[in-house]
Amino acid sequence: MSEKADIALIGLAVMGQNLILNMNDHGFVVCAYNRTTEKVDQFLNNEAKGTKVIGAKSLEDMVAKLKKPRRVMMLVKAGSAVDDFIAKLVPLLEKGDIIIDGGNSEYQDTQRRTKSLAEKGILFVGSGVSGGEEGARYGPSLMPGGNPAAWPYIKNIFQSIAATANNEPCCDWVGEDGAGHFVKMVHNGIEYGDMQLICEAYHLMKSALGMDNEEMSKVFEEWNKGELDSFLIEITKDILKYKDTDGKFLVEKIRDSAGQKGTGKWTAISALDYGIPVTLIGESVFSRCLSSLLDERAQASKVLSGPPTSKYQGDKKEFLEDIRKALYASKIISYAQGFMLMREAAKIHKWNLNYGGIALMWRGGCIIRSVFLGNIKSAFDKNAKLANLLLDPFFTNAIQSSQASWRKVVAASATLGIPTPAFSTALAFYDGYRSARLPANLLQAQRDYFGAHTYELLTAPGKYVHTNWTGKGGNTSASTYDA
């Protein structure tokens, strides 16, 4: 029999094929399998021709071709398809064998699978994979979590195929059970935020400053040379100047109705579940929802009026720099909120997350890769217990130097009637977070007035009291709850 495979990969869509070719490039023998087995033959006779990749005609055949402990990675649609494959694999595997889910699964599913498979002696890993098709082929960002006993057996493969930043692999063990998929979910949420912020900057350039696509592309090219240097800024520069076959800019022909696959929404739902104000990602999800009401918006645009002009009247070059600074400050808020959410989830699930390590994992290979992540890694390297990124001197100073421009942009947007929900909510969060006192004292009084929900006095924290505000109500309070 020919050489046994180091790992098997199930699912030969573009991500699966590219990961297999990446593993092959790094000297690993991969066994390829797909539910429709004709795809295996097509792959071996085309993209994988001349490689050491071997194929399997059935799951039994695939398992027989693997070295022990067997490592099986799935890149299939999240949800029931993952459970179906696990159910078919378990009877074919032995104790100590490893199943890896590299899809965008919900972290709760990964928690459940890790626990149930551990009871059968199978080691389960749920790994975030980011970077799209190109990342999968030439170096993705990988975020593995699950059963830690599996890590020594997959570490070499994962770190070999991952992207690198500063000669370090953009892959390390994230944490137990659902930690890897949770971190990938937050990554995708931050991606939603970054994209929305860039779209708002584009909207302001186009509507308020009247810039054409060539001009805007040049601005993004310039921005990509400084602190905003990132993959998403780089591709925006390319998209804006891309012309269709008729010589017109393609981006302006695209329907302004955004799609989504759910991971941004999951981040926003988790933020509500954990009580963490991840407002920018939430606003980015809602912005996509609003964009999809295209027909309603078309009708409303004929009925609802706004300001007399959407054109900025001041110094345009100065305002362009203000937009850049507002984008930078808002981006800092988005990442600060994402790390707040990870910290809270880690506390609840007892995950020992390495936040500097996560920033490094995102530093290369993934969609949100940017120079900025190096600054986040440095912040956590200096203080692993940093409560919030905004409290690190680098980010405190960055916000301070951007703050006047940020406020100017949000105020001008409101005056001109140009929606900037992500810029605006980021600033509102910043002002809320830096406030020693917020008006929630009145809110607590209202809750106690209508529902006897009680409140705490500044002089006696931890002691809940109820007031009979009208003289007509009773003195019995409702049970205290957080809502």
Side-chain angles (χ1 to χ4, degrees):
M1 187 178 167
S2 61
E3 187 180 0
K4 285 211 168 191
D6 297 295
I7 189 168
L9 199 139
I10 299 172
L12 294 181
V14 68
M15 286 289 283
Q17 290 192 11
N18 283 354
L19 267 182
I20 290 171
L21 295 172
N22 184 352
M23 289 174 184
N24 179 78
D25 288 349
H26 287 88
F28 300 105
V29 178
V30 189
C31 180
Y33 176 75
N34 200 76
R35 197 165 43 88
T36 47
T37 50
E38 306 89 79
K39 262 201 158 182
V40 178
D41 293 329
Q42 285 168 7
F43 178 54
L44 293 176
N45 293 326
N46 294 286
E47 295 86 355
K49 197 169 186 180
T51 68
K52 292 193 337 190
V53 177
I54 57 177
K57 295 290 183 196
S58 65
L59 288 175
E60 289 83 354
D61 182 29
M62 180 193 80
V63 169
K65 288 176 173 171
L66 287 170
K67 291 175 187 169
K68 293 182 182 180
R70 301 177 186 95
R71 291 164 283 207
V72 179
M73 185 169 184
M74 297 177 289
L75 271 173
V76 298
K77 195 178 175 190
S80 59
V82 177
D83 287 318
D84 291 347
F85 268 114
I86 289 171
K88 287 173 186 156
L89 280 167
V90 167
L92 308 174
L93 299 176
E94 296 171 5
K95 283 190 175 181
D97 287 344
I98 298 155
I99 299 175
I100 306 157
D101 172 17
N104 262 339
S105 290
E106 290 196 61
Y107 76 96
Q108 297 98 325
D109 284 343
T110 306
Q111 288 178 309
R112 168 178 59 78
R113 290 165 185 151
T114 305
K115 187 168 181 273
S116 67
L117 284 166
E119 288 162 6
K120 298 179 174 80
I122 307 289
L123 310 179
F124 186 73
V125 173
S127 179
V129 179
S130 181
E133 297 169 27
E134 194 178 331
R137 181 67 187 86
Y138 300 108
S141 167
L142 297 168
M143 297 153 249
N147 195 321
W151 181 232
Y153 299 103
I154 64 168
K155 181 179 180 179
N156 186 30
I157 299 175
F158 270 45
Q159 293 195 335
S160 297
I161 66 166
T164 56
N166 304 329
N167 295 318
E168 291 184 75
C170 296
C171 168
D172 206 348
W173 186 251
V174 176
E176 296 205 351
D177 57 66
H181 273 136
F182 191 90
V183 167
K184 173 61 165 55
M185 178 194 77
V186 174
H187 162 283
N188 284 28
I190 289 171
E191 182 184 306
Y192 272 54
D194 271 0
M195 291 166 80
Q196 178 63 27
L197 289 168
I198 291 168
C199 289
E200 291 178 16
Y202 154 75
H203 197 173
L204 285 166
M205 287 183 209
K206 192 178 170 195
S207 297
L209 298 178
M211 294 171 71
D212 66 28
N213 286 54
E214 293 283 6
E215 287 176 300
M216 290 188 284
S217 177
K218 285 195 177 83
V219 167
F220 279 105
E221 186 174 6
E222 205 52 44
W223 286 0
N224 205 43
K225 293 172 185 170
E227 55 202 4
L228 285 172
D229 174 1
S230 67
F231 174 70
L232 286 168
I233 295 278
E234 186 184 330
I235 68 168
T236 302
K237 171 254 300 180
D238 294 339
I239 290 165
L240 286 170
K241 67 181 179 187
Y242 188 90
K243 288 180 178 171
D244 203 355
T245 47
D246 61 1
K248 292 181 178 164
F249 293 106
L250 178 60
V251 71
E252 305 308 333
K253 298 179 178 185
I254 297 173
R255 264 171 67 92
D256 57 316
S257 175
Q260 52 180 311
K261 284 194 170 176
T263 43
K265 182 177 77 176
W266 296 348
T267 312
I269 291 168
S270 289
L272 290 167
D273 284 342
Y274 293 120
I276 300 297
V278 186
T279 55
L280 197 147
I281 293 169
E283 203 58 69
S284 302
V285 175
F286 287 130
S287 294
R288 293 194 188 194
C289 298
L290 182 58
S291 78
S292 69
L293 304 177
L294 209 145
D295 296 338
E296 277 185 59
R297 289 191 289 113
Q299 286 295 336
S301 69
K302 296 169 188 165
V303 180
L304 305 175
S305 64
T309 180
S310 63
K311 296 285 177 253
Y312 184 72
Q313 302 303 314
D315 184 314
K316 293 191 175 181
K317 195 176 174 190
E318 201 178 275
F319 192 59
L320 198 55
E321 177 59 8
D322 290 333
I323 296 171
R324 186 191 70 80
K325 286 183 172 177
L327 177 56
Y328 185 51
S330 301
K331 185 180 164 96
I332 291 170
I333 297 296
S334 183
Y335 283 71
Q337 290 181 350
F339 277 85
M340 284 168 73
L341 181 57
M342 288 192 286
R343 185 175 287 282
E344 183 63 18
K347 193 165 82 183
I348 287 168
H349 298 294
K350 297 183 172 55
W351 296 332
N352 184 23
L353 298 185
N354 175 352
Y355 302 103
I358 290 165
L360 174 67
M361 281 179 239
W362 294 349
R363 180 72 182 78
C366 68
I367 306 301
I368 64 169
R369 60 185 181 266
S370 64
V371 164
F372 176 91
L373 283 153
N375 305 121
I376 295 179
K377 183 175 187 306
S378 300
F380 285 110
D381 283 350
K382 275 186 288 179
N383 179 6
K385 291 190 163 52
L386 183 67
N388 192 299
L389 270 182
L390 297 175
L391 304 177
D392 174 75
F394 175 86
F395 291 107
T396 306
N397 295 334
I399 291 272
Q400 190 55 45
S401 61
S402 304
Q403 192 176 159
S405 291
W406 192 12
R407 295 184 188 284
K408 192 172 159 188
V409 167
V410 170
S413 302
T415 308
L416 298 169
I418 297 170
T420 52
F423 282 162
S424 305
T425 198
L427 181 58
F429 170 85
Y430 175 72
D431 283 334
Y433 190 71
R434 67 176 188 83
S435 296
R437 191 162 167 85
L438 288 168
N441 52 319
L442 174 58
L443 195 144
Q444 284 296 84
Q446 290 169 332
R447 291 175 72 238
D448 190 53
Y449 188 112
F450 67 68
H453 292 306
T454 74
Y455 56 85
E456 297 168 277
L457 288 166
L458 288 167
T459 51
K463 185 183 174 191
Y464 291 87
V465 292
H466 165 59
T467 292
N468 182 350
W469 295 88
T470 60
K472 297 173 191 165
N475 292 312
T476 307
S477 66
S479 57
T480 304
Y481 64 91
D482 293 321

Short mmCIF file of all heavy atoms in Angstrom, two decimals, residues 386-412:
data_model
loop_
_atom_site.label_atom_id
_atom_site.label_comp_id
_atom_site.label_asym_id
_atom_site.label_seq_id
_atom_site.Cartn_x
_atom_site.Cartn_y
_atom_site.Cartn_z
N LEU A 386 -4.98 43.75 31.01
CA LEU A 386 -5.54 45.03 30.58
C LEU A 386 -7.06 44.93 30.49
O LEU A 386 -7.59 44.09 29.77
CB LEU A 386 -4.94 45.41 29.21
CG LEU A 386 -5.34 46.76 28.62
CD1 LEU A 386 -4.78 47.91 29.45
CD2 LEU A 386 -4.84 46.87 27.17
N ALA A 387 -7.78 45.79 31.24
CA ALA A 387 -9.25 45.70 31.30
C ALA A 387 -9.89 46.14 29.99
O ALA A 387 -10.92 45.61 29.59
CB ALA A 387 -9.76 46.56 32.45
N ASN A 388 -9.29 47.11 29.33
CA ASN A 388 -9.86 47.63 28.08
C ASN A 388 -8.75 48.25 27.26
O ASN A 388 -7.89 48.96 27.79
CB ASN A 388 -10.94 48.68 28.40
CG ASN A 388 -11.76 49.02 27.18
OD1 ASN A 388 -11.26 49.51 26.18
ND2 ASN A 388 -13.07 48.77 27.27
N LEU A 389 -8.77 47.98 25.94
CA LEU A 389 -7.75 48.52 25.05
C LEU A 389 -7.62 50.04 25.16
O LEU A 389 -6.54 50.60 25.01
CB LEU A 389 -8.08 48.18 23.59
CG LEU A 389 -7.55 46.89 23.01
CD1 LEU A 389 -7.96 46.78 21.56
CD2 LEU A 389 -6.03 46.81 23.12
N LEU A 390 -8.74 50.71 25.42
CA LEU A 390 -8.73 52.18 25.50
C LEU A 390 -7.85 52.69 26.64
O LEU A 390 -7.44 53.85 26.64
CB LEU A 390 -10.16 52.71 25.69
CG LEU A 390 -11.16 52.42 24.56
CD1 LEU A 390 -12.55 52.90 24.93
CD2 LEU A 390 -10.71 53.05 23.25
N LEU A 391 -7.57 51.82 27.61
CA LEU A 391 -6.77 52.23 28.76
C LEU A 391 -5.27 52.03 28.54
O LEU A 391 -4.46 52.42 29.38
CB LEU A 391 -7.23 51.48 30.02
CG LEU A 391 -8.73 51.63 30.36
CD1 LEU A 391 -9.09 50.80 31.57
CD2 LEU A 391 -9.10 53.10 30.56
N ASP A 392 -4.90 51.43 27.41
CA ASP A 392 -3.48 51.32 27.06
C ASP A 392 -3.01 52.68 26.55
O ASP A 392 -3.70 53.32 25.74
CB ASP A 392 -3.29 50.27 25.96
CG ASP A 392 -1.85 50.22 25.47
OD1 ASP A 392 -1.00 49.68 26.20
OD2 ASP A 392 -1.58 50.76 24.38
N PRO A 393 -1.83 53.17 27.00
CA PRO A 393 -1.38 54.52 26.62
C PRO A 393 -1.38 54.77 25.11
O PRO A 393 -1.75 55.86 24.66
CB PRO A 393 0.04 54.60 27.19
CG PRO A 393 0.03 53.63 28.33
CD PRO A 393 -0.91 52.53 27.95
N PHE A 394 -1.00 53.77 24.31
CA PHE A 394 -0.96 53.97 22.85
C PHE A 394 -2.35 54.33 22.33
O PHE A 394 -2.52 55.28 21.55
CB PHE A 394 -0.46 52.70 22.14
CG PHE A 394 -0.51 52.81 20.63
CD1 PHE A 394 0.54 53.38 19.93
CD2 PHE A 394 -1.63 52.37 19.93
CE1 PHE A 394 0.47 53.51 18.54
CE2 PHE A 394 -1.70 52.49 18.54
CZ PHE A 394 -0.64 53.06 17.85
N PHE A 395 -3.37 53.58 22.78
CA PHE A 395 -4.73 53.81 22.28
C PHE A 395 -5.38 55.03 22.93
O PHE A 395 -6.16 55.74 22.28
CB PHE A 395 -5.57 52.54 22.45
CG PHE A 395 -5.12 51.44 21.54
CD1 PHE A 395 -4.43 50.33 22.04
CD2 PHE A 395 -5.32 51.52 20.18
CE1 PHE A 395 -3.99 49.32 21.19
CE2 PHE A 395 -4.88 50.52 19.32
CZ PHE A 395 -4.21 49.42 19.82
N THR A 396 -5.06 55.29 24.20
CA THR A 396 -5.55 56.51 24.85
C THR A 396 -5.09 57.73 24.06
O THR A 396 -5.87 58.63 23.75
CB THR A 396 -5.01 56.61 26.30
OG1 THR A 396 -5.33 55.41 27.00
CG2 THR A 396 -5.61 57.79 27.04
N ASN A 397 -3.80 57.75 23.70
CA ASN A 397 -3.24 58.88 22.94
C ASN A 397 -3.79 58.95 21.52
O ASN A 397 -4.04 60.03 21.00
CB ASN A 397 -1.70 58.78 22.89
CG ASN A 397 -1.08 58.94 24.26
OD1 ASN A 397 -1.67 59.58 25.14
ND2 ASN A 397 0.10 58.37 24.49
N ALA A 398 -3.99 57.77 20.90
CA ALA A 398 -4.51 57.74 19.53
C ALA A 398 -5.92 58.33 19.48
O ALA A 398 -6.24 59.13 18.59
CB ALA A 398 -4.52 56.31 19.01
N ILE A 399 -6.75 57.98 20.47
CA ILE A 399 -8.11 58.53 20.53
C ILE A 399 -8.05 60.03 20.80
O ILE A 399 -8.77 60.82 20.19
CB ILE A 399 -8.95 57.82 21.63
CG1 ILE A 399 -9.24 56.37 21.23
CG2 ILE A 399 -10.23 58.58 21.92
CD1 ILE A 399 -10.48 56.13 20.41
N GLN A 400 -7.17 60.40 21.72
CA GLN A 400 -7.05 61.82 22.09
C GLN A 400 -6.71 62.68 20.87
O GLN A 400 -7.30 63.72 20.64
CB GLN A 400 -5.98 61.98 23.19
CG GLN A 400 -5.91 63.36 23.83
CD GLN A 400 -7.25 63.81 24.39
OE1 GLN A 400 -7.95 63.05 25.05
NE2 GLN A 400 -7.64 65.04 24.10
N SER A 401 -5.76 62.19 20.06
CA SER A 401 -5.33 63.00 18.91
C SER A 401 -6.35 62.96 17.76
O SER A 401 -6.30 63.79 16.86
CB SER A 401 -3.96 62.53 18.42
OG SER A 401 -4.03 61.18 18.00
N SER A 402 -7.28 62.00 17.78
CA SER A 402 -8.29 61.89 16.71
C SER A 402 -9.64 62.48 17.11
O SER A 402 -10.52 62.66 16.27
CB SER A 402 -8.51 60.42 16.35
OG SER A 402 -7.31 59.79 15.99
N GLN A 403 -9.78 62.78 18.40
CA GLN A 403 -11.09 63.06 18.96
C GLN A 403 -11.80 64.28 18.35
O GLN A 403 -12.99 64.22 18.01
CB GLN A 403 -10.94 63.25 20.47
CG GLN A 403 -12.21 63.28 21.21
CD GLN A 403 -12.03 63.37 22.72
OE1 GLN A 403 -12.95 63.78 23.36
NE2 GLN A 403 -10.89 63.00 23.29
N ALA A 404 -11.08 65.39 18.16
CA ALA A 404 -11.70 66.61 17.61
C ALA A 404 -12.24 66.35 16.20
O ALA A 404 -13.36 66.74 15.86
CB ALA A 404 -10.69 67.76 17.62
N SER A 405 -11.43 65.65 15.39
CA SER A 405 -11.86 65.33 14.02
C SER A 405 -13.07 64.41 14.02
O SER A 405 -14.01 64.57 13.23
CB SER A 405 -10.71 64.64 13.27
OG SER A 405 -9.66 65.53 13.03
N TRP A 406 -13.04 63.43 14.89
CA TRP A 406 -14.12 62.43 15.02
C TRP A 406 -15.44 63.14 15.33
O TRP A 406 -16.46 62.88 14.68
CB TRP A 406 -13.71 61.50 16.15
CG TRP A 406 -14.45 60.23 16.35
CD1 TRP A 406 -15.35 59.61 15.53
CD2 TRP A 406 -14.32 59.38 17.51
NE1 TRP A 406 -15.78 58.43 16.09
CE2 TRP A 406 -15.17 58.27 17.30
CE3 TRP A 406 -13.57 59.44 18.68
CZ2 TRP A 406 -15.30 57.24 18.24
CZ3 TRP A 406 -13.68 58.42 19.61
CH2 TRP A 406 -14.53 57.33 19.39
N ARG A 407 -15.40 64.05 16.30
CA ARG A 407 -16.61 64.79 16.69
C ARG A 407 -17.09 65.66 15.52
O ARG A 407 -18.31 65.77 15.27
CB ARG A 407 -16.35 65.65 17.93
CG ARG A 407 -16.06 64.81 19.16
CD ARG A 407 -15.90 65.65 20.43
NE ARG A 407 -15.45 64.80 21.52
CZ ARG A 407 -16.23 63.94 22.20
NH1 ARG A 407 -17.51 63.83 21.88
NH2 ARG A 407 -15.73 63.19 23.17
N LYS A 408 -16.14 66.27 14.82
CA LYS A 408 -16.48 67.14 13.68
C LYS A 408 -17.21 66.34 12.59
O LYS A 408 -18.20 66.79 12.02
CB LYS A 408 -15.18 67.75 13.14
CG LYS A 408 -15.38 68.88 12.16
CD LYS A 408 -14.02 69.52 11.87
CE LYS A 408 -14.03 70.29 10.57
NZ LYS A 408 -12.67 70.75 10.21
N VAL A 409 -16.71 65.13 12.32
CA VAL A 409 -17.29 64.29 11.27
C VAL A 409 -18.70 63.84 11.66
O VAL A 409 -19.62 63.90 10.84
CB VAL A 409 -16.38 63.07 10.98
CG1 VAL A 409 -17.10 62.03 10.14
CG2 VAL A 409 -15.11 63.52 10.27
N VAL A 410 -18.87 63.39 12.91
CA VAL A 410 -20.20 62.93 13.35
C VAL A 410 -21.19 64.10 13.32
O VAL A 410 -22.33 63.95 12.86
CB VAL A 410 -20.11 62.28 14.75
CG1 VAL A 410 -21.49 62.03 15.33
CG2 VAL A 410 -19.32 60.97 14.68
N ALA A 411 -20.76 65.28 13.78
CA ALA A 411 -21.64 66.47 13.78
C ALA A 411 -21.98 66.89 12.35
O ALA A 411 -23.15 67.16 12.03
CB ALA A 411 -20.96 67.62 14.52
N ALA A 412 -20.97 66.93 11.47
CA ALA A 412 -21.20 67.33 10.08
C ALA A 412 -22.12 66.34 9.37
O ALA A 412 -23.01 66.74 8.61
CB ALA A 412 -19.87 67.44 9.34
#
